[in-house]
């Protein structure tokens, strides 16, 4: 009985990533049904469409911490909601607009905050497990740089999409007439990256020790 307990524990631990994967596929399918705009859905959901197969393929060779799998699932949900409604038409954003007196639908701000918050933990995990870097100021700095690079790359993708699709990319861009939308997006990614490291480092370290 004592010999079988560790095996049972491993099986229970394996169940959560599989459950999150199944939930992601179900929600992805639901987000596609009766979506507001097919092109916008494809553009917004493309990170999920890329990440899910990648996580499945690398699961046996490079298993992530449960914390990171949960954060990736949360990020996927944010993207899928934005893809289904478009970022400027999400009900959550309209509720925020009414509740806090915002001048516009700010759901895209949540998306770009998450664009720094979740990749920060992902970058931290990869760097700690696959590079000579150790915990400290340099790790904090480089993780932040990675997140800002991702944010800048996403803005370049939005720019390229606008050039290629013209008016068809309006819903994807979601600027809603804000001339500083690009700067806000990158600033919020920076805030997300810094806040993730300040609030989740100790919890992440516990998950890393558990994985090891």
């Amino acid at each position: 009985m004592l010999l079988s307990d560790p095996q049972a524990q491993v099986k229970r631990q394996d169940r959560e990533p599989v459950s999150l994967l199944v939930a992601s596929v179900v929600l992805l399918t639901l987000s596609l049904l009766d979506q507001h705009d097919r092109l916008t859905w494809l553009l917004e959901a493309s990170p999920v469409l890329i990440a899910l197969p990648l996580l499945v393929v690398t699961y046996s060779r490079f298993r992530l911490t449960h914390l990171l799998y949960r954060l990736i699932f949360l990020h996927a949900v944010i993207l899928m909601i934005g893809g289904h409604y478009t970022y400027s038409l999400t009900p959550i954003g309209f509720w925020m607009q009414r509740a806090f007196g915002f001048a516009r639908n700010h759901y895209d701000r949540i998306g770009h905050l998450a664009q720094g918050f979740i990749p920060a933990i992902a970058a931290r995990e990869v760097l700690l497990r696959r590079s000579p870097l150790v915990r400290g100021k340099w790790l904090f700095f480089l993780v932040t740089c990675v997140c800002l690079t991702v944010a800048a790359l996403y803005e370049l993708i939005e720019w390229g999409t606008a050039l290629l699709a013209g008016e068809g990319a309006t819903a994807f861009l979601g600027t809603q007439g804000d001339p500083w939308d690009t700067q806000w997006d990158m600033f919020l990614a920076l805030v997300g990256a810094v806040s993730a490291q300040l609030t989740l480092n100790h919890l992440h370290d516990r998950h890393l020790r558990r994985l090891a």
Side-chain angles (χ1 to χ4, degrees):
M1 184 66 180
L2 291 175
L3 292 175
S4 64
D5 284 344
Q7 294 177 353
Q9 186 176 359
V10 169
K11 287 181 180 179
R12 284 196 298 272
Q13 290 172 348
D14 286 344
R15 238 177 258 142
E16 184 177 349
V18 174
S19 300
L20 292 175
L21 173 64
V22 172
S24 298
V25 172
V26 171
L27 292 174
L28 185 65
T29 304
L30 291 174
S31 72
L32 177 60
L33 299 176
D34 197 29
Q35 86 292 128
H36 184 271
D37 178 76
R38 181 64 63 89
L39 176 61
T40 301
W41 179 88
L42 181 61
L43 292 170
E44 299 293 2
S46 57
V48 183
L49 296 172
I50 294 169
L52 287 183
L54 186 63
L55 290 172
V56 170
V57 170
T58 59
Y59 182 74
S60 59
R61 288 176 293 156
F62 191 75
R63 191 169 305 183
L64 305 177
T65 59
H66 282 200
L67 173 64
L68 184 51
Y69 280 126
R70 293 165 193 166
L71 290 172
I72 291 171
F73 174 74
L74 175 62
H75 199 181
V77 170
I78 292 171
L79 291 170
M80 289 185 284
I81 291 173
H84 180 80
Y85 293 102
T86 78
Y87 274 71
S88 56
L89 296 176
T90 55
I92 299 173
F94 286 132
W95 174 83
M96 292 166 55
Q97 188 176 0
R98 291 191 300 269
F100 301 104
F102 294 146
R104 48 163 286 194
N105 188 316
H106 276 315
Y107 184 78
D108 65 318
R109 305 296 195 220
I110 297 174
H112 286 282
L113 187 69
Q115 193 181 63
F117 196 94
I118 284 86
I121 301 303
R124 186 176 189 270
E125 184 155 324
V126 172
L127 289 172
L128 281 173
R129 294 174 60 187
R130 285 292 186 265
S131 81
L133 279 170
V134 295
R135 294 160 181 80
K137 294 178 181 178
W138 274 110
L139 177 65
F140 192 100
F141 173 72
L142 290 175
V143 166
T144 304
C145 288
V146 168
C147 294
L148 282 175
T149 301
V150 171
L153 178 61
Y154 200 81
E155 296 304 319
L156 290 174
I157 291 172
E158 287 188 348
W159 174 57
T161 304
L163 291 177
L164 292 173
E167 290 296 323
T170 301
F172 173 57
L173 296 176
T175 59
Q176 301 178 68
D178 185 356
W180 303 108
D181 187 72
T182 299
Q183 288 78 10
W184 268 110
D185 291 349
M186 290 190 287
F187 171 70
L188 286 168
L190 172 62
V191 171
V194 171
S195 59
Q197 294 180 85
L198 292 177
T199 59
L200 294 183
N201 274 4
H202 294 302
L203 177 62
H204 188 215
D205 286 342
R206 288 203 298 273
H207 277 261
L208 286 170
R209 287 193 295 270
R210 201 175 302 161
L211 183 67

